[in-house]
Amino acid sequence: MGANPVVYGEAYGFNPKTLLIYGHYDVQPPEPLEEWKTPPFEAAEAEHERIVARGASDSKGNVKAIESYKALNFDLPLNLKVIFEGEEEIGSPNLPKYIETYRGRLKADAAIYFDGGLDYKGRPGISLGLKGILYVEFRCKTAKTDGHSSLAPLIENPAWKLINALKSLKNEGGRILIEGWYDDVKVPTEEDISLLEEINEEDHKRSIEELKRHFAVEDLLGNVEGLEAIKKLLFEPTCNIAGLCSGYTGPSSKTVLPSEAYAKIDFRLVYDQNPGKLFEKLKVHMKIRGFRDIEIKLLGSLEPSKTPTSAPIAKAVKMAAEKTYGVKPQAAPMSSGSGPDYVFTKRLGVHSVWTGCAPIFSNAHAPNEFITKKTFLDGIVYASLIMENSHRCESPFSAGELRVKTRFNTLGGSSST
Ligand SMILES: [Zn+2]
């Protein structure tokens, strides 16, 4: 299957520095459709100044910021290189190849991963790293066909087998039991902890309270609260069953012995775990534990990323956030989410900051996703101010061969295959 095209554009500003802006144009599937109040792909206006559509709150504001300079006939404050990919929601499987192919063209002083959102105080989340991910599928087939459940004493049930395999992956406390899983974990560092401690304890408590309220959950795993919960969220590798299926799940009953069972599992990885190495360790674990006939399929992977607190782009983003939103922003050493940020930090070797302008609990990836008009407009200002501030920050990298003149030049779609 061919890759979705990566859309690339360049624009020149009056400062020789170059900022690489990353965004994505793909979205999650809209299902379940019956829960949408308006059609998911029609951008309907709704109460509280909301614009409702699939993708409404996802990676917005950055293009409009560039357009506004053009509309006002202003010179851009620095050179821009913009890439929009169409496979972020499926783990960016082709982006690393694209980055490798166009490494020279993509040379920049820093990168901005514009895809995040605001916190409960209306401040944009700013993260100096993203978690990685390893996404796999387990498939267990024990018979050619489903059978009568009276045969259960004789024929192995794949659902039980799969459950036993899943149980072998982690203990009750959440510790992953695959040998060597934590070998390359390099976080939290002292810098990570001090960055978190700079954040008011009240803020940690509040964001955890908001999370519990939103999901109507009384206690969190391990009964953690405040800073402890945040540390667990940001620095703990996870093993999550994303889907589990076997046998009859329809109305009423059916006495059946299923022939097949499968599960989808995502492992979130912290710096500096490598998904390729961990996939091999998982396969060894399954073999040793006697699950060699469970088929393991790799569905996707992303490496974790990390940018130091002292990075000039981090300073630029914080300045822009404070000016736009009027509140002192707080940078986190890591986000609990994942994305292809490592292609900038590890493959291109530039500092990268993840941020964005989506409203908090905007139903992202869920029915009735929305952005409010205010957060959308603020996001445009925020993205513009990041550009304004980036060129003022001292850069540790060379700007290379870039020309200093204002010119908009969209190179159009170029496929990463
Ligand atoms: Zn996104």
Side-chain angles (χ1 to χ4, degrees), residues 22-24 26 57-60 88-89 113-116 354 365:
Y22 166 86
H24 66 94
D26 61 324
S57 68
D58 207 348
S59 198
K60 291 291 172 289
E88 193 266 356
E89 303 290 6
Y113 190 123
F114 207 76
D115 194 22
W354 175 91
H365 295 192

Side-chain angles (χ1 to χ4, degrees), residues 221-262:
L221 287 173
N223 282 320
V224 284
E225 295 286 348
L227 180 61
E228 278 316 299
I230 300 284
K231 279 189 201 163
K232 201 163 141 67
L233 181 69
L234 301 187
F235 301 121
E236 200 171 281
T238 67
C239 167
N240 173 61
I241 300 173
L244 188 57
C245 196
S246 184
Y248 180 71
T249 56
S252 191
S253 63
K254 181 184 179 190
T255 45
V256 67
L257 175 66
S259 60
E260 198 175 8
Y262 58 92

Side-chain angles (χ1 to χ4, degrees), residues 6 19 48 59 201 205 207 213 252 259 281 320 357 394:
V6 173
L19 181 66
H48 311 303
S59 198
E201 174 67 19
K205 264 197 194 148
S207 48
R213 194 186 53 77
S252 191
S259 60
K281 287 183 179 179
C357 64
E394 208 179 301

Side-chain angles (χ1 to χ4, degrees), residues 8 11-12 15-20 78-81 105-111 350 390-391 395 398-400 402-403:
Y8 176 77
Y12 299 95
N15 188 285
K17 281 181 190 160
T18 300
L19 181 66
L20 180 65
L78 79 175
N79 301 314
L80 295 176
K81 294 182 176 181
R105 182 189 280 175
L106 295 169
K107 208 167 161 193
D109 295 286
V350 295
S390 302
H391 84 271
S395 166
S398 149
L402 293 156
R403 290 157 285 174

Side-chain angles (χ1 to χ4, degrees), residues 120 199-212 220 225-230:
Y120 73 94
I199 301 173
N200 193 325
E201 174 67 19
E202 205 39 53
D203 278 346
H204 288 313
K205 264 197 194 148
R206 181 73 195 274
S207 48
I208 292 301
E209 283 310 315
E210 288 290 324
L211 179 93
K212 283 157 74 174
L220 298 179
E225 295 286 348
L227 180 61
E228 278 316 299
I230 300 284

Side-chain angles (χ1 to χ4, degrees), residues 260-275:
E260 198 175 8
Y262 58 92
K264 290 185 190 282
I265 305 139
D266 65 74
F267 297 90
R268 299 265 172 188
L269 314 178
V270 301
Y271 202 78
D272 195 20
Q273 292 182 296
N274 181 289

